[in-house]
Structure formats: C-alpha cells, structure tokens
Amino acid sequence: MFGLMKFVSKYKENFLLASGHFATDICQGSVSAALAVMFAHNVLSSNIEVSYLVLASCLVSSIIQPIIGWLSDRKPRPYLMALGMFVAAFGLMFIGFIKDFYLLFVLITCSGIGVAIFHPQAGKMSNCVSAQKKGLGMSIFSLGGNFGFAAGPAVISLSTLLFGLPGIIAVGIPALIMIIVYAIRNKTYKEYAERELAEQKTKEYKEKEYIGGFIILMLAVFARATILIGLTTFIPLYFMSQFNLSAQEANFNLTIIALCAAIASIAGGILADKYGFKFIFALSSTILIPFMALFCSIEQSAVWATIVLIPTSLALYGTLSVSMVLGQKFLCRHVGFASGITIGLGISFGGLTSPLLGSIGDTYGLNYTMWTLFFVSILTCILAWLTPNIDKLRKEEALNHAKTKEQVTN
C-alpha cells in the first residue's frame, strides 16, 4: 500500500491529467452505447443512422484537433483542457431528450468538438510532466481515457435502465467536477508548459524531426482507428443481432473492451520504455491479427465471442499509448500538433470510416463488417513494421553530433 501511495504521489500530475482524460472520454466512449439504447428505443432506425451520428462526433473534430495542437505549440493554453471538457459534456448530456435526427447530429458534433479541444493540449501537458518516463507517463494519461471509455457504456446502461433515455445526462457529471479542478490549477499547468519551452531553447542542439516516419506512423494509426471505432460502434449492435442480446447486455462488451484497453495501455507503455516503442507497436499489431480472425469466426456463442474479444482488445489497445509517444518523438519540436493527430485525429479517423462499415452491415450483415475490420488489421500490421525505429535514429543522431563536436574541438 505504501508503495502504491508513493507511486501515485510521484506521478500526481499524470494522474490529474488522466482524471481529466477520463471526464472527457467518458463522453466520447458513451456515444456508441447511447446510440445503441436509442436504437433499441426506436429513436434511430438503422445501422447507417448510427454510423452517421458516430461520424458527427468525429468529422469536425478531425479538422480541429491538428489546429488546436498547432496553437498549443505556439503558446501554452492549458485553459483549453477545461473548455474542451465543458463542450464535450454539454453536447452529449442532453441527447436523451432529443428525437430529431438533425438536432442529434448537431449536439453530437458539438461533443466531438469538445473532445478535439481537450486532447492536443492535454497530450502535450502529459508529455511535459512525464520527465524521462515518457512511456509510463503517457500510459497513465491513456489509462484515464480508457477508464472513461469503460465507464461510459456502464453509466449509460445503468442510468437509462433507471431513468430511461434522459438518464444519459449522468455522463457529464465527471466533466463538471474536473472543470473546477483544472480551472484552479490553470496557473500551475501554464508554468509547466513555459518551463518545457525554456528547456527546449537551452538544448545543446535541436533534434531533427522525421516527417516521413511520422506519416507512415499516422497511416498505421488511421488504419488502427478504423478497427477501434468500428468495434466500439458496432460491437453492441453485432451482439444484439448475432446473439440476440438486449442493448444493456450488449453494451457490457464495450466495458470489457475499455477495461482491457486500460490494462494494455499501461503494459504497452512500460514495455515500450524497456524494449523500444517501435518494437512493441509492431508486435501488438501482429498479435491482433489471429485474434481478430478467431473473433469473426464465432457465430453461435456470445460467451466465447466475449472471451475472444478480451485478447483482441489487449492487442489492439497495446499500441495506443505507444503510438502517442512515437508521434511526439517523430515531431519533437511540435509535440502539441503531434498529440492532436495521434491522440485526437488518430481516433477521429475511425469515425470517418464508420458510415462505410455501417453500409456494409446494412447491406450484407454485421458479420461482414467484422471481417472487414480483420483485413484492416493486416494493413495495420504491415504499416507498423514499416514505421522507422525512432529510438535508434535518435541514438545515431546524438552520436553524429558528438563526433562533429569532437572534430570541431580538435
């Protein structure tokens, strides 16, 4: 117990940022579960309608997140974290009172914008406070988001069971609490960001950015996002149609996915600090393939499908915190921009592909949607192995600098 308290005290700032991530991502993670319940209540009538609303949470967000990241690189703006939480919560809390599809689209878009505002600045701040343990620090930050995704479906299921669709309002409560905490700590976060900028300016030499490597990484992240969002969007509907479960029973699988994500993110960060970020990223992507194939092959048993979903989720989310740090390493002088893409746009991209996956589900059945995600997992694996080893490149860069300095001195 004392060791745990010491660990939490040492990484206090990371856990506070993780709490804000929880409050934001409980909103993002609730979207699919809330839409599944609304589908069951006949507010929504098709898979394509569900997928368009998931697209709404991602579309504008995809444009905004890199811009927010760029702005945070130019000047510390920690207040964006509290603002993002507020907008994310406000957009989602009241959808249970709405039956008009277009108004739902507007509100869910608003929530997606809030998520977009939060992630780039929060990801950069997490990098600032993580010192030398970037993998562990980012894993703690990711842990908050994963628990948010895990809690979202559980909160939706319980609150709608007790209060009907208006119970969706409960998902905004954590954000309202953390907004107050972040407002109080805004000055402290600004000091962290300014200190990081000062340290960058006093470095002996400026590290090179590897844009080509970042692009390959992003292609892998975008492919993975298609799987990630595809699963979280259609898993409830898949279990409802394939195994005849209720919406609340099917949403339980989203909680399982997110709990596995929390474990995998921490494990991935710790292993990446020890064995290298590129290796763990590529290894997890490889392990994902056979488990995706096995999951898609199960046609009769909901229990076995849920069991296989566990290692599938562990492999999928084992790359999450690792890819965040990889992006920041590739674009070391534009950490906010890198965070906006890897953390934010990297997730939102999956929403852009969800209408296609929904259309496949409506036309051929959701089992075909799952097999589509399997083939995307193969593409993700190929791109992961093609991603350059940034840690090796940094060591070579430092060695070349030392040799050049020695030659100048002599």
Side-chain angles (χ1 to χ4, degrees):
M1 180 62 73
F2 177 75
L4 178 61
M5 291 177 63
K6 186 177 180 181
F7 176 79
V8 173
S9 177
K10 182 178 180 181
Y11 292 97
K12 178 185 70 173
E13 297 298 342
N14 297 90
F15 280 105
L16 281 172
L17 290 167
S19 299
H21 201 185
F22 171 88
T24 304
D25 279 7
I26 194 174
C27 298
Q28 189 174 17
S30 295
V31 173
S32 296
L35 295 180
V37 176
M38 296 177 82
F39 183 88
H41 280 73
N42 296 318
V43 176
L44 302 173
S45 58
S46 67
N47 292 320
I48 195 67
E49 280 192 352
V50 172
S51 60
Y52 273 126
L53 289 174
V54 173
L55 173 65
S57 70
C58 303
L59 186 61
V60 180
S61 163
S62 301
I63 301 170
I64 290 177
Q65 294 199 57
I67 297 174
I68 296 295
W70 177 76
L71 289 173
S72 67
D73 284 327
R74 290 174 62 86
K75 179 183 177 182
R77 292 178 169 89
Y79 63 85
L80 290 175
M81 295 187 291
L83 176 62
M85 281 188 284
F86 173 77
V87 178
F90 178 81
L92 192 69
M93 290 170 70
F94 305 106
I95 65 170
F97 298 92
I98 307 298
K99 293 188 177 180
D100 181 77
F101 178 83
Y102 297 103
L103 184 53
L104 283 172
F105 192 94
V106 171
L107 285 175
I108 293 177
T109 297
C110 179
S111 182
I113 290 172
V115 171
I117 293 172
F118 174 84
H119 279 105
Q121 180 63 60
K124 182 174 182 177
M125 188 60 61
S126 182
N127 183 282
C128 287
V129 304
S130 295
Q132 300 303 314
K133 295 288 186 179
K134 300 294 186 185
L136 178 58
M138 193 58 70
S139 293
I140 294 171
F141 176 71
S142 299
L143 186 68
N146 292 330
F147 276 133
F149 269 96
V155 170
I156 290 294
S157 294
L158 180 60
S159 62
T160 56
L161 190 63
L162 294 175
F163 306 108
L165 291 178
I168 294 172
I169 199 170
V171 299
I173 295 174
L176 299 179
I177 295 171
M178 291 309 301
I179 286 168
I180 298 172
V181 174
Y182 275 36
I184 294 171
R185 295 186 57 78
N186 186 70
K187 183 179 179 181
T188 301
Y189 289 137
K190 189 173 182 179
E191 289 172 354
Y192 268 108
E194 289 173 344
R195 193 180 309 148
E196 178 79 4
L197 284 174
E199 289 177 2
Q200 289 290 334
K201 290 178 181 179
T202 56
K203 276 192 173 181
E204 187 178 354
Y205 74 99
K206 288 188 175 181
E207 294 175 322
K208 179 182 176 181
E209 292 192 325
Y210 294 89
I211 297 175
F214 183 77
I215 291 172
I216 297 173
L217 171 67
M218 284 305 96
L219 292 174
V221 167
F222 290 164
R224 182 197 62 196
T226 299
I227 306 169
L228 194 153
I229 299 298
L231 284 179
T232 56
T233 300
F234 296 108
I235 278 294
L237 300 176
Y238 176 71
F239 273 80
M240 288 163 64
S241 63
Q242 186 78 14
F243 305 113
N244 296 315
L245 300 185
S246 69
Q248 281 77 14
E249 290 171 332
N251 279 340
F252 177 68
N253 288 282
L254 291 180
T255 298
I256 289 178
I257 289 174
L259 288 174
C260 290
I263 296 169
S265 292
I266 284 289
I270 293 172
L271 291 172
D273 278 332
K274 186 173 183 179
Y275 297 108
F277 287 84
K278 185 266 175 71
F279 176 71
I280 297 302
F281 182 61
L283 180 64
S284 296
S285 300
T286 304
I287 294 172
L288 173 64
I289 295 174
F291 285 113
M292 276 294 299
L294 183 58
F295 174 76
C296 294
S297 301
I298 298 173
E299 298 181 352
Q300 301 297 326
S301 173
V303 174
W304 277 111
T306 298
I307 290 172
V308 174
L309 194 58
I310 292 172
T312 303
S313 303
L314 289 171
L316 177 62
Y317 282 90
T319 65
L320 193 60
S321 60
V322 176
S323 64
M324 294 176 190
V325 179
L326 276 172
Q328 293 171 341
K329 284 175 175 280
F330 279 119
L331 298 187
C332 55
R333 298 201 298 273
H334 297 86
V335 172
F337 180 78
S339 300
I341 295 181
T342 54
I343 302 173
L345 183 56
I347 300 296
S348 299
F349 182 84
L352 301 179
T353 61
S354 63
L356 174 60
L357 296 172
S359 179
I360 292 172
D362 279 338
T363 305
Y364 303 105
L366 286 173
N367 56 324
Y368 281 86
T369 298
M370 295 302 152
W371 278 110
T372 301
L373 297 179
F374 162 73
F375 288 109
V376 177
S377 73
I378 297 175
L379 175 62
T380 303
C381 178
I382 294 171
L383 290 167
W385 283 107
L386 290 175
T387 301
N389 189 334
I390 185 61
D391 295 319
K392 183 179 179 181
L393 292 173
R394 287 279 178 246
K395 289 179 181 178
E396 293 174 353
E397 185 182 330
L399 183 61
N400 290 334
H401 173 74
K403 288 180 179 178
T404 302
K405 184 178 179 181
E406 184 179 350
Q407 290 171 358
V408 171
T409 303
N410 293 334

